[in-house]
mmCIF file of all heavy atoms in Angstrom:
data_model
loop_
_atom_site.group_PDB
_atom_site.id
_atom_site.type_symbol
_atom_site.label_atom_id
_atom_site.label_comp_id
_atom_site.label_asym_id
_atom_site.label_seq_id
_atom_site.Cartn_x
_atom_site.Cartn_y
_atom_site.Cartn_z
ATOM 1 N N CYS A 474 -7.977 -4.923 -2.486
ATOM 2 C CA CYS A 474 -8.634 -3.741 -1.912
ATOM 3 C C CYS A 474 -10.094 -4.015 -1.561
ATOM 4 O O CYS A 474 -10.796 -3.114 -1.079
ATOM 5 C CB CYS A 474 -8.546 -2.567 -2.877
ATOM 6 S SG CYS A 474 -6.863 -1.928 -3.083
ATOM 7 N N GLY A 475 -10.555 -5.244 -1.809
ATOM 8 C CA GLY A 475 -11.896 -5.627 -1.390
ATOM 9 C C GLY A 475 -12.992 -5.184 -2.328
ATOM 10 O O GLY A 475 -14.165 -5.119 -1.917
ATOM 11 N N GLU A 476 -12.658 -4.879 -3.580
ATOM 12 C CA GLU A 476 -13.658 -4.453 -4.558
ATOM 13 C C GLU A 476 -13.779 -5.492 -5.673
ATOM 14 O O GLU A 476 -12.945 -6.404 -5.806
ATOM 15 C CB GLU A 476 -13.278 -3.084 -5.151
ATOM 16 C CG GLU A 476 -13.180 -1.974 -4.121
ATOM 17 C CD GLU A 476 -14.521 -1.619 -3.498
ATOM 18 O OE1 GLU A 476 -15.578 -2.023 -4.064
ATOM 19 O OE2 GLU A 476 -14.537 -0.957 -2.446
ATOM 20 N N ARG A 477 -14.813 -5.348 -6.473
ATOM 21 C CA ARG A 477 -15.019 -6.271 -7.591
ATOM 22 C C ARG A 477 -14.639 -5.662 -8.928
ATOM 23 O O ARG A 477 -14.302 -6.376 -9.867
ATOM 24 C CB ARG A 477 -16.487 -6.712 -7.632
ATOM 25 C CG ARG A 477 -16.919 -7.547 -6.436
ATOM 26 C CD ARG A 477 -18.339 -8.037 -6.623
ATOM 27 N NE ARG A 477 -18.738 -8.902 -5.518
ATOM 28 C CZ ARG A 477 -19.929 -9.498 -5.453
ATOM 29 N NH1 ARG A 477 -20.827 -9.310 -6.427
ATOM 30 N NH2 ARG A 477 -20.233 -10.264 -4.414
ATOM 31 N N ARG A 478 -14.726 -4.310 -9.012
ATOM 32 C CA ARG A 478 -14.456 -3.659 -10.297
ATOM 33 C C ARG A 478 -13.352 -2.629 -10.146
ATOM 34 O O ARG A 478 -13.257 -1.944 -9.134
ATOM 35 C CB ARG A 478 -15.714 -2.969 -10.823
ATOM 36 C CG ARG A 478 -16.906 -3.896 -11.041
ATOM 37 C CD ARG A 478 -18.049 -3.108 -11.667
ATOM 38 N NE ARG A 478 -18.344 -1.886 -10.887
ATOM 39 C CZ ARG A 478 -18.972 -0.822 -11.378
ATOM 40 N NH1 ARG A 478 -19.348 -0.805 -12.648
ATOM 41 N NH2 ARG A 478 -19.224 0.214 -10.609
ATOM 42 N N GLU A 479 -12.513 -2.552 -11.173
ATOM 43 C CA GLU A 479 -11.432 -1.563 -11.180
ATOM 44 C C GLU A 479 -12.007 -0.152 -11.150
ATOM 45 O O GLU A 479 -11.462 0.749 -10.496
ATOM 46 C CB GLU A 479 -10.570 -1.753 -12.428
ATOM 47 C CG GLU A 479 -9.418 -0.745 -12.518
ATOM 48 C CD GLU A 479 -8.635 -0.893 -13.817
ATOM 49 O OE1 GLU A 479 -9.128 -1.574 -14.739
ATOM 50 O OE2 GLU A 479 -7.544 -0.302 -13.914
ATOM 51 N N ALA A 480 -13.136 0.042 -11.790
ATOM 52 C CA ALA A 480 -13.728 1.386 -11.878
ATOM 53 C C ALA A 480 -14.085 1.940 -10.500
ATOM 54 O O ALA A 480 -14.112 3.162 -10.309
ATOM 55 C CB ALA A 480 -14.969 1.345 -12.772
ATOM 56 N N ASP A 481 -14.360 1.048 -9.541
ATOM 57 C CA ASP A 481 -14.732 1.513 -8.202
ATOM 58 C C ASP A 481 -13.557 2.123 -7.458
ATOM 59 O O ASP A 481 -13.749 2.786 -6.424
ATOM 60 C CB ASP A 481 -15.297 0.348 -7.382
ATOM 61 C CG ASP A 481 -16.607 -0.185 -7.954
ATOM 62 O OD1 ASP A 481 -17.331 0.606 -8.581
ATOM 63 O OD2 ASP A 481 -16.875 -1.393 -7.776
ATOM 64 N N LEU A 482 -12.344 1.905 -7.944
ATOM 65 C CA LEU A 482 -11.147 2.401 -7.259
ATOM 66 C C LEU A 482 -10.436 3.527 -7.997
ATOM 67 O O LEU A 482 -9.589 4.207 -7.410
ATOM 68 C CB LEU A 482 -10.160 1.247 -7.037
ATOM 69 C CG LEU A 482 -10.609 0.178 -6.025
ATOM 70 C CD1 LEU A 482 -9.722 -1.060 -6.117
ATOM 71 C CD2 LEU A 482 -10.560 0.739 -4.609
ATOM 72 N N ILE A 483 -10.744 3.738 -9.263
ATOM 73 C CA ILE A 483 -10.078 4.782 -10.029
ATOM 74 C C ILE A 483 -10.407 6.149 -9.406
ATOM 75 O O ILE A 483 -11.568 6.487 -9.184
ATOM 76 C CB ILE A 483 -10.522 4.752 -11.508
ATOM 77 C CG1 ILE A 483 -10.196 3.399 -12.135
ATOM 78 C CG2 ILE A 483 -9.853 5.886 -12.283
ATOM 79 C CD1 ILE A 483 -8.730 3.062 -12.099
ATOM 80 N N GLY A 484 -9.354 6.906 -9.094
ATOM 81 C CA GLY A 484 -9.520 8.221 -8.488
ATOM 82 C C GLY A 484 -9.596 8.210 -6.971
ATOM 83 O O GLY A 484 -9.602 9.281 -6.339
ATOM 84 N N VAL A 485 -9.650 7.025 -6.379
ATOM 85 C CA VAL A 485 -9.702 6.919 -4.923
ATOM 86 C C VAL A 485 -8.289 7.055 -4.350
ATOM 87 O O VAL A 485 -7.332 6.491 -4.901
ATOM 88 C CB VAL A 485 -10.303 5.555 -4.505
ATOM 89 C CG1 VAL A 485 -10.227 5.374 -2.988
ATOM 90 C CG2 VAL A 485 -11.736 5.456 -5.000
ATOM 91 N N PRO A 486 -8.082 7.818 -3.253
ATOM 92 C CA PRO A 486 -6.742 7.929 -2.659
ATOM 93 C C PRO A 486 -6.216 6.560 -2.228
ATOM 94 O O PRO A 486 -6.916 5.781 -1.581
ATOM 95 C CB PRO A 486 -6.959 8.842 -1.449
ATOM 96 C CG PRO A 486 -8.190 9.620 -1.781
ATOM 97 C CD PRO A 486 -9.062 8.686 -2.573
ATOM 98 N N SER A 487 -4.999 6.264 -2.589
ATOM 99 C CA SER A 487 -4.364 5.006 -2.193
ATOM 100 C C SER A 487 -3.760 5.154 -0.794
ATOM 101 O O SER A 487 -3.580 6.281 -0.313
ATOM 102 C CB SER A 487 -3.263 4.640 -3.183
ATOM 103 O OG SER A 487 -2.107 5.440 -2.961
ATOM 104 N N PRO A 488 -3.425 4.038 -0.160
ATOM 105 C CA PRO A 488 -2.832 4.130 1.184
ATOM 106 C C PRO A 488 -1.309 4.284 1.173
ATOM 107 O O PRO A 488 -0.703 4.370 2.237
ATOM 108 C CB PRO A 488 -3.215 2.779 1.808
ATOM 109 C CG PRO A 488 -3.211 1.833 0.661
ATOM 110 C CD PRO A 488 -3.712 2.626 -0.522
ATOM 111 N N PHE A 489 -0.711 4.348 -0.009
ATOM 112 C CA PHE A 489 0.744 4.253 -0.109
ATOM 113 C C PHE A 489 1.413 5.617 0.040
ATOM 114 O O PHE A 489 0.948 6.625 -0.504
ATOM 115 C CB PHE A 489 1.148 3.629 -1.446
ATOM 116 C CG PHE A 489 0.400 2.369 -1.753
ATOM 117 C CD1 PHE A 489 -0.482 2.296 -2.831
ATOM 118 C CD2 PHE A 489 0.547 1.260 -0.939
ATOM 119 C CE1 PHE A 489 -1.180 1.144 -3.100
ATOM 120 C CE2 PHE A 489 -0.155 0.091 -1.205
ATOM 121 C CZ PHE A 489 -1.026 0.026 -2.283
ATOM 122 N N ALA A 490 2.513 5.646 0.805
ATOM 123 C CA ALA A 490 3.339 6.849 0.930
ATOM 124 C C ALA A 490 4.361 6.785 -0.198
ATOM 125 O O ALA A 490 5.287 5.970 -0.173
ATOM 126 C CB ALA A 490 4.022 6.887 2.283
ATOM 127 N N LEU A 491 4.181 7.629 -1.228
ATOM 128 C CA LEU A 491 4.997 7.538 -2.429
ATOM 129 C C LEU A 491 6.174 8.499 -2.344
ATOM 130 O O LEU A 491 6.037 9.714 -2.513
ATOM 131 C CB LEU A 491 4.139 7.843 -3.663
ATOM 132 C CG LEU A 491 2.923 6.907 -3.834
ATOM 133 C CD1 LEU A 491 2.094 7.315 -5.033
ATOM 134 C CD2 LEU A 491 3.392 5.473 -3.965
ATOM 135 N N THR A 492 7.321 8.000 -2.015
ATOM 136 C CA THR A 492 8.559 8.767 -1.975
ATOM 137 C C THR A 492 9.598 8.023 -2.792
ATOM 138 O O THR A 492 9.505 6.813 -3.016
ATOM 139 C CB THR A 492 9.073 8.923 -0.535
ATOM 140 O OG1 THR A 492 9.251 7.618 0.027
ATOM 141 C CG2 THR A 492 8.086 9.699 0.324
ATOM 142 N N ARG A 493 10.611 8.737 -3.245
ATOM 143 C CA ARG A 493 11.635 8.099 -4.063
ATOM 144 C C ARG A 493 12.529 7.187 -3.243
ATOM 145 O O ARG A 493 13.160 6.286 -3.752
ATOM 146 C CB ARG A 493 12.479 9.169 -4.761
ATOM 147 C CG ARG A 493 11.651 9.966 -5.758
ATOM 148 C CD ARG A 493 12.522 10.867 -6.594
ATOM 149 N NE ARG A 493 11.722 11.603 -7.570
ATOM 150 C CZ ARG A 493 11.349 11.122 -8.748
ATOM 151 N NH1 ARG A 493 11.685 9.893 -9.082
ATOM 152 N NH2 ARG A 493 10.629 11.846 -9.575
ATOM 153 N N LYS A 494 12.596 7.435 -1.928
ATOM 154 C CA LYS A 494 13.383 6.587 -1.039
ATOM 155 C C LYS A 494 12.469 6.074 0.060
ATOM 156 O O LYS A 494 11.577 6.786 0.506
ATOM 157 C CB LYS A 494 14.554 7.368 -0.427
ATOM 158 C CG LYS A 494 15.599 7.775 -1.451
ATOM 159 C CD LYS A 494 16.767 8.480 -0.766
ATOM 160 C CE LYS A 494 17.826 8.875 -1.795
ATOM 161 N NZ LYS A 494 18.986 9.547 -1.149
ATOM 162 N N PRO A 495 12.685 4.865 0.525
ATOM 163 C CA PRO A 495 11.840 4.331 1.610
ATOM 164 C C PRO A 495 12.000 5.147 2.871
ATOM 165 O O PRO A 495 13.114 5.532 3.241
ATOM 166 C CB PRO A 495 12.368 2.890 1.795
ATOM 167 C CG PRO A 495 13.753 2.910 1.214
ATOM 168 C CD PRO A 495 13.732 3.903 0.098
ATOM 169 N N THR A 496 10.868 5.423 3.506
ATOM 170 C CA THR A 496 10.913 6.222 4.738
ATOM 171 C C THR A 496 11.175 5.358 5.955
ATOM 172 O O THR A 496 11.625 5.849 6.982
ATOM 173 C CB THR A 496 9.575 6.963 4.927
ATOM 174 O OG1 THR A 496 8.521 6.016 4.945
ATOM 175 C CG2 THR A 496 9.342 7.939 3.784
ATOM 176 N N ALA A 497 10.849 4.074 5.873
ATOM 177 C CA ALA A 497 11.026 3.205 7.029
ATOM 178 C C ALA A 497 12.379 2.506 6.972
ATOM 179 O O ALA A 497 12.816 2.073 5.907
ATOM 180 C CB ALA A 497 9.913 2.156 7.076
ATOM 181 N N CYS A 498 13.045 2.421 8.117
ATOM 182 C CA CYS A 498 14.291 1.674 8.173
ATOM 183 C C CYS A 498 13.986 0.192 8.021
ATOM 184 O O CYS A 498 12.965 -0.291 8.506
ATOM 185 C CB CYS A 498 15.005 1.914 9.505
ATOM 186 S SG CYS A 498 15.537 3.624 9.717
ATOM 187 N N PRO A 499 14.852 -0.551 7.332
ATOM 188 C CA PRO A 499 14.595 -1.983 7.182
ATOM 189 C C PRO A 499 14.550 -2.673 8.530
ATOM 190 O O PRO A 499 15.366 -2.410 9.403
ATOM 191 C CB PRO A 499 15.784 -2.471 6.345
ATOM 192 C CG PRO A 499 16.846 -1.440 6.538
ATOM 193 C CD PRO A 499 16.128 -0.149 6.728
ATOM 194 N N GLY A 500 13.556 -3.534 8.710
ATOM 195 C CA GLY A 500 13.410 -4.255 9.968
ATOM 196 C C GLY A 500 13.827 -5.697 9.833
ATOM 197 O O GLY A 500 14.003 -6.236 8.736
ATOM 198 N N LEU A 501 13.997 -6.332 10.968
ATOM 199 C CA LEU A 501 14.447 -7.720 10.996
ATOM 200 C C LEU A 501 13.464 -8.637 10.287
ATOM 201 O O LEU A 501 13.852 -9.622 9.646
ATOM 202 C CB LEU A 501 14.615 -8.176 12.456
ATOM 203 C CG LEU A 501 15.032 -9.634 12.679
ATOM 204 C CD1 LEU A 501 16.404 -9.892 12.086
ATOM 205 C CD2 LEU A 501 15.019 -9.965 14.166
ATOM 206 N N LEU A 502 12.180 -8.324 10.342
ATOM 207 C CA LEU A 502 11.160 -9.207 9.788
ATOM 208 C C LEU A 502 10.753 -8.830 8.368
ATOM 209 O O LEU A 502 9.875 -9.475 7.791
ATOM 210 C CB LEU A 502 9.928 -9.210 10.691
ATOM 211 C CG LEU A 502 10.178 -9.673 12.127
ATOM 212 C CD1 LEU A 502 8.891 -9.584 12.928
ATOM 213 C CD2 LEU A 502 10.717 -11.089 12.147
ATOM 214 N N GLU A 503 11.331 -7.809 7.787
ATOM 215 C CA GLU A 503 10.985 -7.413 6.432
ATOM 216 C C GLU A 503 11.649 -8.347 5.418
ATOM 217 O O GLU A 503 12.793 -8.761 5.585
ATOM 218 C CB GLU A 503 11.402 -5.974 6.170
ATOM 219 C CG GLU A 503 10.565 -4.958 6.929
ATOM 220 C CD GLU A 503 10.965 -3.536 6.623
ATOM 221 O OE1 GLU A 503 12.073 -3.328 6.093
ATOM 222 O OE2 GLU A 503 10.177 -2.638 6.910
ATOM 223 N N ASP A 504 10.895 -8.656 4.343
ATOM 224 C CA ASP A 504 11.426 -9.547 3.316
ATOM 225 C C ASP A 504 12.465 -8.846 2.449
ATOM 226 O O ASP A 504 13.429 -9.455 2.000
ATOM 227 C CB ASP A 504 10.296 -10.065 2.431
ATOM 228 C CG ASP A 504 9.344 -10.963 3.227
ATOM 229 O OD1 ASP A 504 9.804 -11.561 4.217
ATOM 230 O OD2 ASP A 504 8.173 -11.041 2.842
ATOM 231 N N GLU A 505 12.263 -7.580 2.166
ATOM 232 C CA GLU A 505 13.174 -6.809 1.324
ATOM 233 C C GLU A 505 13.494 -5.492 2.023
ATOM 234 O O GLU A 505 12.664 -4.928 2.732
ATOM 235 C CB GLU A 505 12.540 -6.517 -0.040
ATOM 236 C CG GLU A 505 12.275 -7.767 -0.858
ATOM 237 C CD GLU A 505 13.540 -8.477 -1.294
ATOM 238 O OE1 GLU A 505 14.597 -7.814 -1.337
ATOM 239 O OE2 GLU A 505 13.479 -9.678 -1.602
ATOM 240 N N PRO A 506 14.709 -4.945 1.808
ATOM 241 C CA PRO A 506 15.095 -3.733 2.536
ATOM 242 C C PRO A 506 14.299 -2.500 2.149
ATOM 243 O O PRO A 506 14.253 -1.547 2.902
ATOM 244 C CB PRO A 506 16.582 -3.581 2.185
ATOM 245 C CG PRO A 506 16.760 -4.333 0.907
ATOM 246 C CD PRO A 506 15.797 -5.486 0.987
ATOM 247 N N ASP A 507 13.669 -2.511 0.936
ATOM 248 C CA ASP A 507 12.935 -1.311 0.531
ATOM 249 C C ASP A 507 11.424 -1.494 0.633
ATOM 250 O O ASP A 507 10.669 -0.700 0.091
ATOM 251 C CB ASP A 507 13.317 -0.912 -0.899
ATOM 252 C CG ASP A 507 12.946 -1.994 -1.911
ATOM 253 O OD1 ASP A 507 12.668 -3.127 -1.474
ATOM 254 O OD2 ASP A 507 12.942 -1.701 -3.122
ATOM 255 N N GLU A 508 10.965 -2.517 1.327
ATOM 256 C CA GLU A 508 9.532 -2.773 1.454
ATOM 257 C C GLU A 508 8.955 -1.993 2.631
ATOM 258 O O GLU A 508 9.543 -1.954 3.715
ATOM 259 C CB GLU A 508 9.288 -4.273 1.651
ATOM 260 C CG GLU A 508 7.845 -4.688 1.401
ATOM 261 C CD GLU A 508 7.697 -6.200 1.372
ATOM 262 O OE1 GLU A 508 8.253 -6.843 2.286
ATOM 263 O OE2 GLU A 508 7.050 -6.729 0.444
ATOM 264 N N GLN A 509 7.817 -1.353 2.398
ATOM 265 C CA GLN A 509 7.140 -0.598 3.435
ATOM 266 C C GLN A 509 5.753 -1.204 3.677
ATOM 267 O O GLN A 509 5.306 -2.067 2.922
ATOM 268 C CB GLN A 509 7.014 0.874 3.027
ATOM 269 C CG GLN A 509 8.369 1.538 2.780
ATOM 270 C CD GLN A 509 8.200 2.977 2.343
ATOM 271 O OE1 GLN A 509 8.006 3.856 3.178
ATOM 272 N NE2 GLN A 509 8.258 3.217 1.052
ATOM 273 N N VAL A 510 5.084 -0.745 4.746
ATOM 274 C CA VAL A 510 3.771 -1.271 5.096
ATOM 275 C C VAL A 510 2.756 -0.130 5.140
ATOM 276 O O VAL A 510 3.030 0.930 5.712
ATOM 277 C CB VAL A 510 3.807 -2.011 6.454
ATOM 278 C CG1 VAL A 510 2.406 -2.483 6.841
ATOM 279 C CG2 VAL A 510 4.756 -3.196 6.393
ATOM 280 N N ALA A 511 1.603 -0.350 4.506
ATOM 281 C CA ALA A 511 0.498 0.612 4.537
ATOM 282 C C ALA A 511 -0.766 -0.129 4.971
ATOM 283 O O ALA A 511 -0.851 -1.358 4.865
ATOM 284 C CB ALA A 511 0.297 1.250 3.172
ATOM 285 N N TYR A 512 -1.754 0.643 5.458
ATOM 286 C CA TYR A 512 -2.993 0.032 5.962
ATOM 287 C C TYR A 512 -4.177 0.546 5.163
ATOM 288 O O TYR A 512 -4.278 1.740 4.833
ATOM 289 C CB TYR A 512 -3.159 0.341 7.445
ATOM 290 C CG TYR A 512 -2.058 -0.274 8.293
ATOM 291 C CD1 TYR A 512 -0.934 0.460 8.644
ATOM 292 C CD2 TYR A 512 -2.137 -1.607 8.700
ATOM 293 C CE1 TYR A 512 0.089 -0.116 9.388
ATOM 294 C CE2 TYR A 512 -1.129 -2.188 9.458
ATOM 295 C CZ TYR A 512 -0.013 -1.437 9.788
ATOM 296 O OH TYR A 512 0.993 -2.011 10.522
ATOM 297 N N TRP A 513 -5.095 -0.376 4.868
ATOM 298 C CA TRP A 513 -6.230 -0.071 3.999
ATOM 299 C C TRP A 513 -7.501 -0.632 4.636
ATOM 300 O O TRP A 513 -7.525 -1.769 5.110
ATOM 301 C CB TRP A 513 -5.991 -0.704 2.632
ATOM 302 C CG TRP A 513 -7.153 -0.645 1.692
ATOM 303 C CD1 TRP A 513 -8.069 -1.628 1.460
ATOM 304 C CD2 TRP A 513 -7.514 0.435 0.830
ATOM 305 N NE1 TRP A 513 -8.992 -1.234 0.516
ATOM 306 C CE2 TRP A 513 -8.664 0.042 0.100
ATOM 307 C CE3 TRP A 513 -6.984 1.709 0.604
ATOM 308 C CZ2 TRP A 513 -9.286 0.877 -0.820
ATOM 309 C CZ3 TRP A 513 -7.602 2.529 -0.326
ATOM 310 C CH2 TRP A 513 -8.740 2.120 -1.024
ATOM 311 N N ALA A 514 -8.553 0.152 4.628
ATOM 312 C CA ALA A 514 -9.854 -0.283 5.125
ATOM 313 C C ALA A 514 -10.758 -0.575 3.944
ATOM 314 O O ALA A 514 -11.000 0.305 3.097
ATOM 315 C CB ALA A 514 -10.479 0.770 6.021
ATOM 316 N N THR A 515 -11.249 -1.806 3.839
ATOM 317 C CA THR A 515 -12.136 -2.178 2.749
ATOM 318 C C THR A 515 -13.518 -1.573 2.949
ATOM 319 O O THR A 515 -13.823 -1.000 4.004
ATOM 320 C CB THR A 515 -12.258 -3.715 2.658
ATOM 321 O OG1 THR A 515 -12.933 -4.192 3.832
ATOM 322 C CG2 THR A 515 -10.883 -4.364 2.568
ATOM 323 N N GLY A 516 -14.348 -1.713 1.934
ATOM 324 C CA GLY A 516 -15.697 -1.168 2.032
ATOM 325 C C GLY A 516 -16.503 -1.784 3.155
ATOM 326 O O GLY A 516 -17.415 -1.146 3.695
ATOM 327 N N SER A 517 -16.164 -3.039 3.540
ATOM 328 C CA SER A 517 -16.886 -3.701 4.630
ATOM 329 C C SER A 517 -16.313 -3.370 6.000
ATOM 330 O O SER A 517 -16.806 -3.867 7.014
ATOM 331 C CB SER A 517 -16.837 -5.217 4.423
ATOM 332 O OG SER A 517 -15.488 -5.689 4.450
ATOM 333 N N GLY A 518 -15.256 -2.530 6.032
ATOM 334 C CA GLY A 518 -14.664 -2.134 7.304
ATOM 335 C C GLY A 518 -13.497 -2.991 7.739
ATOM 336 O O GLY A 518 -12.895 -2.732 8.791
#
């Protein structure tokens, strides 16, 4: 996540869509059928 300390991230919203079932259909290039992709911007942009 581009940080040095765990404390800097506690309470910060994560980029993950947390559902009990994967929302994305498995793609040809995915390593596992239940793996999803999220995007995160570090403090440096």
Side-chain angles (χ1 to χ4, degrees):
C474 291
E476 300 293 345
R477 294 185 177 182
R478 301 184 308 158
E479 180 184 14
D481 295 331
L482 291 167
I483 301 301
V485 174
S487 76
F489 311 115
L491 302 177
T492 57
R493 295 189 179 277
K494 293 183 179 181
T496 57
C498 295
L501 178 63
L502 301 178
E503 290 182 343
D504 294 333
E505 296 293 338
D507 62 345
E508 196 170 47
Q509 300 178 81
V510 177
Y512 296 95
W513 172 263
T515 67
S517 62

